[in-house]
Amino acid sequence: MKLLVVGSVAFDAIETPFGKTDKILGGAATYIGITASVMGVKSGIVSVVGGDFPQEHLDMFTKRDINIEGLEIVKEGKTFFWSGKYHNDLNSRDTLATEVNVLENFDPKIPDSMQDAEILLLGNLHPGVQLSVLEKMNQRPKLVILDTMNFWMDSAMDILKDMIAKTDVISINDEEARQLSGEYSLVKAAKKIHTMGPKFVIIKKGEHGAILFHDDKIFAIPALPLEEVFDPTGAGDTFAGGFAAYLAKKEKFDFETMKSALIVGSAMASFTVEKFGTERLEEIKEADMLERIKQFKELTTFTVEL
Amino acid sequence: MKLLVVGSVAFDAIETPFGKTDKILGGAATYIGITASVMGVKSGIVSVVGGDFPQEHLDMFTKRDINIEGLEIVKEGKTFFWSGKYHNDLNSRDTLATEVNVLENFDPKIPDSMQDAEILLLGNLHPGVQLSVLEKMNQRPKLVILDTMNFWMDSAMDILKDMIAKTDVISINDEEARQLSGEYSLVKAAKKIHTMGPKFVIIKKGEHGAILFHDDKIFAIPALPLEEVFDPTGAGDTFAGGFAAYLAKKEKFDFETMKSALIVGSAMASFTVEKFGTERLEEIKEADMLERIKQFKELTTFTVEL
């Protein structure tokens, strides 16, 4: 299956306790596209960049067989830029600068070559923009996956709810699930979010793993404990990308397949945090991925005899 | 195998968003002893209570085949009392009152009938008291499990380190592991704690599950997502009790058995939080436990085909 990704393609400047970078390649769609390509899944990116976006990055996408016909280049504009500094525990960060630039007036254009994508992954953007993508597709994709965040719950809840109503799989963190539902218990929160539309609710908990809810079924995984987390930037996007790409590969959207997809997403995300930006992810081969999934299996497999 | 438990037997007065109790039965040794009895494992409690401790609780212990020869009753003294109020999220609480009472001068006495216990579980007490228990045993138990907390790291680190050096399995939460080791990464923290003595390091993360470290091996589990958490009091003690009792039942202390023990401990703890104090735990039959372990299996089992 083909995966259509709508999300930012950006520059990031990152500082962690281990070092800092100049402007490097970032953005949700970037991480998602690279992740899909590592997994041998064809994806297309719908996004916008400025005239300052280097040809080498475009070449990298093309070389990875990522369709960038939907990646608009606004020659006179500048690419979205984010700069942040992580605290010592890497669990929180300060945003030093956000320059929205060409993303301000982003009007997504779906190329004909991607109109038949079966899976649509809507990266974290204004829910109005996410909705407009759905409206621009000739037919509704078989699966719509939505990534969003508390910022849109605070600033655009009504339109976000419209978007959520048209979503099959929503991916948010635990605090966001509580904010969206008004329920503290994640089990209750997921039930309430089910009634808002999504049949599948993924709750991301960073270093504490993730939980997948579907009707009365629950699947929970820890995160792979890592000796070093170098840079968390892009981990959530890589997770979403690995999740969606696995479904595209298996061409199935049932609970059992989603469970496996959660594992694959987590495994892929565990690579991203090992180096700055997309550096580590770009090095990954299929064998590395298989090895890490095996580690996941070892990490979580048990028998109990009583 | 026999399980010797040293820890508090106490009164708690608890307030949660769902209600409040008068003085009810509490204390680490209480939760651990009841958990072991649910699992059909013989345990003995070494602790101290005052003349105000009701006969009905003593009868309950005896009826559950919990050896209380080591439970000293100081007739003229009062039983340890703790009172606390949980915040709305149940993840934090304020202590309203702590009356140490007879626990102040607690001098543990090991009855002859428990001198041959193969497993010693040292509940959270002053590390000097924990050490004195080891000294009073005619022979070192085959397995020493230590529960401790940040309070002793702040106030008695040197003697705590002496105790840790004589420990096989240490059970602490993630913040305590970081404080004890000076390492933020839990993988690095566990490695450092290994060098301090314990061959097995359990890191408890409450609603986020638990991790077991042994040399280079890691096993991680999520917590069972619960619709209602009514009262978290005693969950950690129940976890430790279920863990230790499973090892006593299997009579093995290898990594694979410890993994299963972690699951059993988590399953038992998930009962405790469903009602105030020991109420729910006292209702549990073996069939309930088996059903919950099955739920754990369903919660965490996956296959990935690529």
Side-chain angles (χ1 to χ4, degrees), chain B residues 3 12 24 46 51 67 85 96 109 123 137 140 149 152 157 174 187 203 218 245 258 262 266 288 297:
Chain B
L3 171 63
D12 291 338
I24 58 172
V46 169
N67 180 331
K85 182 178 174 169
L96 302 177
K109 289 162 197 73
M137 295 204 66
R140 187 186 186 278
M149 68 184 295
W152 309 117
M157 186 60 118
D174 40 1
V187 178
I203 296 180
I218 311 180
M258 296 246 181
L262 209 68
S266 301
D288 304 311
K297 194 87 195 164

Side-chain angles (χ1 to χ4, degrees), chain B residues 2-6 46 110 117-123 130 133-134 137 140-146 163 168-169 244:
Chain B
K2 269 202 278 188
L3 171 63
L4 177 61
V5 183
V6 185
V46 169
I110 321 293
E118 291 91 344
I119 302 182
L120 170 63
L121 173 46
L122 293 164
Q130 294 175 320
V133 172
L134 260 191
M137 295 204 66
R140 187 186 186 278
K142 286 186 182 141
L143 193 77
V144 176
I145 306 172
L146 179 74
M163 180 62 234
D168 299 304
V169 184

Side-chain angles (χ1 to χ4, degrees), chain A residues 91 184 260 297 301-303, chain B residues 91 184 259-260 297 302-303:
Chain A
N91 271 331
Y184 185 80
S260 315
K297 195 88 194 162
T301 303
F302 64 90
T303 52
Chain B
N91 271 331
Y184 184 79
K259 282 167 57 176
S260 315
K297 194 87 195 164
F302 64 90
T303 51

Side-chain angles (χ1 to χ4, degrees), chain B residues 73-120:
Chain B
I73 300 172
V74 180
K75 283 248 156 58
E76 67 284 9
K78 285 180 72 185
T79 301
F80 177 87
F81 171 66
W82 174 82
S83 169
K85 182 178 174 169
Y86 287 88
H87 301 159
N88 276 338
D89 66 4
L90 292 171
N91 271 331
S92 53
R93 66 186 188 189
D94 293 324
T95 289
L96 302 177
T98 306
E99 297 171 14
V100 181
N101 296 334
V102 293
L103 212 59
E104 172 105 49
N105 298 308
F106 176 38
D107 181 27
K109 289 162 197 73
I110 321 293
D112 288 344
S113 57
M114 290 305 293
Q115 277 287 359
D116 60 344
E118 291 91 344
I119 302 182
L120 170 63

Side-chain angles (χ1 to χ4, degrees), chain A residues 6 34 64 66 71 87 139-140 143 150 209 211 249 251:
Chain A
V6 186
I34 296 173
R64 287 188 169 270
I66 299 169
L71 178 59
H87 300 160
Q139 57 189 27
R140 187 185 187 281
L143 193 78
N150 53 357
I211 316 183
K249 214 174 164 87
E251 308 195 343

